[in-house]
Amino acid sequence: MNLKKLVPISDQFPYFSFPKKKVVSGFGLGLLSFFIVLSVGFFYVSFKNPILNNSVFQGLKNTNNKTSLISWPLSFTKTPSVNSTDVQNPPQKSIISSNGGVKNGSFVGTSEEKSDFEGTNFTNSVKNGSFGSLEDAHLSNFTIDLKNGSFDANSKNLDLDLKNGTDGVLILRNHSSSYAECDIFDGRWVRDDTKPYYRGGSCPHIDRDFDCHLNKRPDDAYVKWKWQPFGCEIPSLNATDFLERLRGKKLVFVGDSLNRNMWESLVCILRESITNKNRVFEISGRHEFKKKGFYAFRFEDYNCTIDFVSSPFLVRETSFNVKSGSFERLRLDLMDKTTSMYHDADVLIFNTGHWWTHEKTSLGEDYYQEGEHVYPRLKVLDAYGRALSTWARWVDKNIDINKTQVIFRGYSVTHFKGGQWNSGGKCHKETEPIFNSSHLTKYPKKMRAFENVLREMKNPIIYLNISRLTDYRKDGHPSIYRMEYKSVEEQIAAVQSQDCSHWCLPGVPDTWNELLYASLLKMGRGSWKI
């Protein structure tokens, strides 16, 4: 299966005028040679210097708002497939951020590096956010590379061919644009009428809280979106191929209810490919999965299981009963006792985050413990980092990287308006994604804490960095459609108690699993080698 694709990048630059073949004097030939050398130098300096030292691909970590304009917006944006319609705002000039990286598919450098080609032949605007072409220059094979967000004139990944002729076409070829080499988490949502992977109401293994179709949500446009990375195409999730690679193996989701959201999505996607659906079942016969515990779906035809282990903090929460009542502590230095349920898995997908926003964890008063020490007060972000360090040490010590691939799924952004989950927050009137990236939230501090821990780990970890792509999707939550109401009074009361954290199924978590599939193929280990 050939999954590598080249990204065509084409737009119009203003034309160069170069003389046609003439008999010239020695002096004229020397003068012409001088201008050719000068032109090469101009290209090298103009393309390389603005973003050489400071620009790096940072994807969704690009949050600094200090910007300056650049007149040549280089974009990785691909033309969507025939059945997809790009709903983004009309292309604008590329913006250079002082934080560096890629923003809205364009290169960004620093705010001090304002660049303009005015006063040269590059005065026409570049359309659609990508390079066009200049024909008929007497230069050829001028090569630059995009490496860590900067240009390298010695690489062969990007070729600028200035060909002989009169009309002038500058052709930019991107030779490293397969999804295996791009940031698949940096992109945009586009309309796609081929979605979803399974019809609303067709999968019986979705908890009622997530089944917006069953709960009579009146609109269904929220399932008709595809995640389109700026630099490449990603493969659709081939359910038969996924199951074949998982044959005889065990995949486990470990974490909170957002991972349960993703687990149910994957079960439904893969089940859709099975002819005899009775051969897909939860091994204990359960049909609801909200209670804490261990759940396993067996795919009989492939001798594999896809499991969910409830462990909202990953580390151990303990309860104590005293005469005055009970109290709880979170042991930041000990893993949850559920590790025995998944330490032998072939694929492990962890998450933790949303339970760290609750009152006990947010206040952190006499709640966090390490060894015999109970912290009178500890900031939640500090506690979160300590818990992740405990998780990382456990992974490095107990996971055989030759057998098991470990994945950590990032924080799923919420969209409460007018309050939080427990104080009247709302999202029930949202029917479209966010289209303007300036309305997105900052990169979550919890994920910066995770990245700090990740840098210290020995075992290779896949990071599903889904925070930014979920931030766009304010339309995808169950909101008031997390249950079916038996009376008008119940429906009115539901407006004050909405779910703007979890996601409707089918819906956004299907895309997480699509990116999981692509990420496993990118790693190319074991049965996931292409």
Side-chain angles (χ1 to χ4, degrees), residues 319-436:
S319 298
F320 302 91
N321 293 317
V322 294
K323 290 182 180 180
S324 58
S326 64
F327 65 93
E328 296 170 324
R329 294 270 167 75
L330 193 64
R331 288 293 302 268
L332 302 176
D333 56 337
L334 295 177
M335 285 292 284
D336 190 46
K337 292 180 180 180
T338 56
T339 55
S340 60
M341 301 176 183
Y342 58 77
H343 72 279
D344 60 340
D346 299 278
V347 180
L348 272 172
I349 304 156
F350 292 95
N351 96 296
T352 183
H354 284 267
W355 281 51
W356 297 84
T357 64
H358 294 183
E359 185 177 2
K360 288 178 298 185
T361 50
S362 296
L363 291 176
E365 295 178 351
D366 296 321
Y367 178 63
Y368 298 117
Q369 180 177 349
E370 286 183 307
E372 297 299 319
H373 179 67
V374 177
Y375 290 92
R377 189 174 184 87
L378 185 65
K379 291 182 178 180
V380 64
L381 197 60
D382 190 3
Y384 183 77
R386 290 169 186 260
L388 285 179
S389 294
T390 298
W391 167 81
R393 287 192 297 270
W394 182 87
V395 169
D396 282 340
K397 182 179 179 180
N398 295 278
I399 296 300
D400 179 1
I401 61 172
N402 296 314
K403 178 183 185 296
T404 303
Q405 177 61 63
V406 178
I407 297 108
F408 190 95
R409 181 186 57 75
Y411 189 77
S412 170
V413 177
T414 63
H415 295 94
F416 292 97
K417 286 185 178 179
Q420 289 302 309
W421 63 276
N422 58 352
S423 58
K426 298 176 177 60
C427 59
H428 67 293
K429 295 183 179 179
E430 302 293 353
T431 58
E432 288 185 329
I434 293 171
F435 298 137
N436 188 340

Side-chain angles (χ1 to χ4, degrees), residues 15 79 147 190 288 306 368 421 437 465-466 515 527:
Y15 296 128
T79 303
K147 195 173 185 181
V190 297
E288 294 182 355
I306 299 178
Y368 298 117
W421 63 276
S437 61
N465 195 350
I466 53 88
L515 293 166
S527 63

Side-chain angles (χ1 to χ4, degrees), residues 4 70 77-78 116 127 189 194 201 234 267 425 454 476 522:
K4 295 186 176 181
I70 186 167
T77 305
K78 288 182 65 67
D116 197 339
K127 298 178 181 178
W189 291 93
T194 68
I234 55 174
V267 168
L454 183 62
K522 282 178 70 171

Side-chain angles (χ1 to χ4, degrees), residues 92-151:
Q92 299 176 350
K93 286 187 177 182
S94 228
I95 296 180
I96 290 191
S97 162
S98 60
N99 200 25
V102 178
K103 189 171 186 179
N104 296 333
S106 303
F107 286 106
V108 288
T110 68
S111 60
E112 297 176 355
E113 295 167 340
K114 183 173 180 180
S115 177
D116 197 339
F117 287 126
E118 259 183 56
T120 72
N121 287 327
F122 291 88
T123 53
N124 289 354
S125 61
V126 180
K127 298 178 181 178
N128 298 327
S130 60
F131 270 116
S133 41
L134 285 171
E135 283 187 288
D136 308 333
H138 292 290
L139 302 174
S140 64
N141 201 28
F142 186 83
T143 306
I144 60 175
D145 181 27
L146 177 64
K147 195 173 185 181
N148 293 329
S150 62
F151 288 115

Side-chain angles (χ1 to χ4, degrees), residues 15-26:
Y15 296 128
F16 271 149
S17 294
F18 285 94
K20 296 192 176 183
K21 295 180 181 178
K22 293 181 180 180
V23 178
V24 296
S25 66

